[in-house]
Amino acid sequence: MACLNKKICMVCLLAALLTAGCTPQDPMPDEEDVVNLPDEEQQEEETEDVQKEYDVELSDKLSDFQFSVNETVYTLPARLQAWKNAGWTYEKDNGKKALDPESFLEGEILESEGGSLAVDIVNLDGEKKLLGECYVGGVQLESTEDDSRVYQLPGKIRMGTSTLDEVTEAYGMPTDQYEEKDNIYLTYEYGIYKQADLVFDVQDEILYKAVLKNYREPEDGSEEVSKETPAEVENYQAPGAFPDDIMAFVVRYGGDFYKLPAPVCEFTKNGWKILEDGSDSIVKSGRHGYVTLERDGQTLYAVVNNYADMAVPMENSFIISVHGDFDVTKVSVEMYRGITLGMSEETMKALLGDNAYETEETDRGVSYFIYADEEKQNYTRIFVDKDLKLVREIELSNSPDTLSAASMGTPQEEPDSVEAAAMYGDDEFPGEEKEE
């Protein structure tokens, strides 16, 4: 109000001078001086800018899924109770509503004095839990004119000011990048259920929106981890060829034979490397986890099970599914009787023979499903491109409740004839040089 009072005083002074016979030569306030005086609005803006600078300590890695709202730092996932302790409320958390095991709710609203946030509520446990016992596993942050809060991400990235170049310098090249209408989209993937989507304005390339999701159970260090190799891993034997039983879940992946589920250490023995950012370090007994494997520039995101009676390191868990295609996971994959990527639909159906299958048709093509159980949890999927009439994707998934001795795999002799070798899919992967 300082500026407004000064103007009032000057008007009063002018009136007094005029009534006292003041001449026109008396000094008048310069117009420019009045305009340039700092007014109340300018002072408030300057004060607000100072308040918006928050010095917080965040990780340098986006894969750690840390962020801050004003001066408070959060990490995904975090228990809902931790958010409540920080001043947030969740209307649905009434002590009665529960969430099914290993499931989630997207777009739920948390409220605080500073405003609201859209979050994902996740039950990471193997049994039903009340909402108040669940985690916040995802959040949507958006810098707008109506939202005065300050959002910061790892690597000194600040929403509303950081540019596309600054983001890629801090986080490296994204898994995917594309432009649509008025936005540029960057996606950073760190395995299954662990992803960051960043959105930039196409004109000034300023980051204004971030959708962060990390539905992976945090490790608190309290779990006792077995130092011994589980018997299930020691008893596993890699097959040497395809048996004449499609339900055996034998696959030749990247040129090597596996029987699913197969130990992660079998993949690392064949040259695959575990990427820590996208992988759990341990897997609890009787639970599943996630691993990201890389070899020759190709990435495999896989679900794993732990069949031991103690928690185990990732290497001693079992991969229950593999996938290969021509677009994303460009790894050679062959299955029963040598059905392989690039094979014609006609040949594939001939090799399936009398095995029962179900089909699902989409605009892109047809999926052939061969189910191993009535619940349809364990299956083989073969996708045929609609236009090319060629096998474009192959996926195998098998997760039995327990591993019997018979399911550990039995070594078989390699085919000893040209005809047998052809049946077992000894062709080169399309577009891939055959190893010597």
Side-chain angles (χ1 to χ4, degrees):
M1 298 295 293
C3 180
L4 182 58
N5 290 335
K6 186 172 183 178
K7 289 180 180 178
I8 293 173
C9 291
M10 294 184 70
V11 171
C12 293
L13 177 62
L14 178 60
L17 290 173
L18 288 175
T19 57
C22 176
T23 64
Q25 286 78 20
D26 289 333
M28 297 290 292
D30 186 77
E31 183 177 356
E32 289 187 1
D33 291 340
V34 175
V35 172
N36 291 332
L37 286 173
D39 59 20
E40 181 181 9
E41 183 177 354
Q42 288 174 322
Q43 288 177 342
E44 288 180 352
E45 288 180 355
E46 290 174 1
T47 302
E48 188 175 352
D49 287 340
V50 172
Q51 291 174 341
K52 284 189 176 182
E53 294 294 334
Y54 296 99
D55 186 15
V56 295
E57 292 186 9
L58 292 173
S59 166
D60 289 331
K61 298 168 60 179
L62 181 60
S63 58
D64 286 336
F65 283 84
Q66 283 190 339
F67 63 93
S68 65
V69 180
N70 292 341
E71 72 278 7
T72 306
V73 175
Y74 301 86
T75 302
L76 297 178
R79 288 198 177 275
L80 180 59
Q81 185 60 49
W83 284 72
K84 292 164 69 174
N85 293 342
W88 297 89
T89 60
Y90 180 34
E91 184 179 357
K92 291 184 181 179
D93 179 21
N94 56 10
K96 298 179 181 179
K97 294 186 178 181
L99 194 56
D100 288 335
E102 298 177 344
S103 60
F104 56 88
L105 297 172
E106 291 185 303
E108 299 297 289
I109 303 299
L110 298 186
E111 300 280 356
S112 74
E113 291 184 359
S116 61
L117 276 182
V119 302
D120 301 341
I121 305 297
V122 189
N123 179 5
L124 301 176
D125 211 323
E127 58 186 32
K128 202 168 188 176
K129 291 287 186 181
L130 292 172
L131 291 178
E133 300 174 333
C134 294
Y135 288 81
V136 174
V139 66
Q140 179 173 302
L141 310 174
E142 187 166 1
S143 177
T144 65
E145 294 181 357
D146 298 330
D147 191 345
S148 61
R149 291 172 293 187
V150 177
Y151 304 115
Q152 298 185 71
L153 301 180
K156 304 186 185 305
I157 298 300
R158 177 170 165 167
M159 296 184 57
T161 60
S162 293
T163 65
L164 179 66
D165 288 341
E166 290 172 338
V167 168
T168 54
E169 182 178 351
Y171 304 149
M173 296 308 296
T175 309
D176 187 28
Q177 177 177 342
Y178 65 95
E179 184 176 319
E180 185 176 295
K181 294 184 179 179
D182 298 329
N183 296 316
I184 300 173
Y185 296 85
L186 265 60
T187 297
Y188 289 88
E189 291 183 348
Y190 301 101
I192 301 172
Y193 295 131
K194 195 174 181 182
Q195 177 175 313
D197 293 302
L198 309 179
V199 187
F200 302 76
D201 181 86
V202 74
Q203 296 296 328
D204 54 21
E205 297 189 347
I206 295 295
L207 173 66
Y208 76 89
K209 185 176 181 179
V211 181
L212 310 176
K213 294 180 183 291
N214 183 13
Y215 297 176
R216 309 279 279 276
E217 188 171 10
E219 298 169 6
D220 57 13
S222 62
E223 194 77 18
E224 184 179 357
V225 181
S226 173
K227 298 180 180 179
E228 304 294 330
T229 302
E232 292 83 359
V233 174
E234 290 185 337
N235 293 336
Y236 175 84
Q237 294 178 317
F242 295 109
D244 197 23
D245 178 7
I246 198 169
M247 300 305 177
F249 287 96
V250 171
V251 61
R252 193 179 186 187
Y253 196 73
D256 302 300
F257 280 99
Y258 304 93
K259 178 178 173 60
L260 299 181
V264 172
C265 57
E266 281 291 310
F267 285 79
T268 57
K269 184 175 69 176
N270 291 327
W272 291 88
K273 179 182 178 182
I274 298 175
L275 300 184
E276 293 184 2
D277 283 345
S279 304
D280 301 325
S281 60
I282 66 169
V283 186
K284 295 180 180 179
S285 175
R287 297 290 300 278
H288 70 261
Y290 305 96
V291 65
T292 302
L293 297 172
E294 188 272 337
R295 189 179 80 172
D296 300 330
Q298 298 301 319
T299 303
L300 169 63
Y301 302 130
V303 180
V304 299
N305 279 359
N306 175 14
Y307 290 99
D309 56 5
M310 287 185 63
V312 297
M314 175 54 68
E315 291 86 347
N316 289 335
S317 63
F318 282 74
I319 289 179
I320 64 174
S321 63
V322 295
H323 170 268
D325 60 71
F326 285 159
D327 302 308
V328 181
T329 310
K330 302 175 183 178
V331 179
S332 61
V333 52
E334 304 168 50
M335 52 168 284
Y336 177 73
R337 293 180 177 173
I339 296 173
T340 186
L341 295 174
M343 180 176 285
S344 70
E345 181 178 24
E346 182 180 1
T347 303
M348 179 272 293
K349 291 175 69 174
L351 290 174
L352 281 180
D354 296 333
N355 288 288
Y357 57 79
E358 298 180 16
T359 59
E360 290 185 8
E361 189 169 352
T362 65
D363 292 339
R364 295 176 56 243
V366 180
S367 288
Y368 291 77
F369 285 92
I370 302 95
Y371 294 107
D373 54 278
E374 294 183 357
E375 293 78 15
K376 298 183 178 181
Q377 293 182 346
N378 304 311
Y379 61 87
T380 296
R381 182 177 72 92
I382 305 168
F383 178 76
V384 175
D385 186 275
K386 179 179 180 180
D387 298 322
L388 300 176
K389 303 296 182 184
L390 299 176
V391 175
R392 194 176 187 89
E393 300 176 29
I394 294 178
E395 177 187 7
L396 289 86
S397 180
N398 185 34
S399 55
D401 293 334
T402 59
L403 294 180
S404 63
S407 68
M408 290 294 93
T410 303
Q412 301 184 32
E413 296 181 359
E414 295 285 354
D416 56 4
S417 67
V418 176
E419 291 79 11
M423 176 171 285
Y424 286 129
D426 201 28
D427 298 330
E428 294 183 26
F429 182 66
E432 179 179 88
E433 293 185 3
K434 191 177 182 68
E435 296 183 359
E436 296 295 326

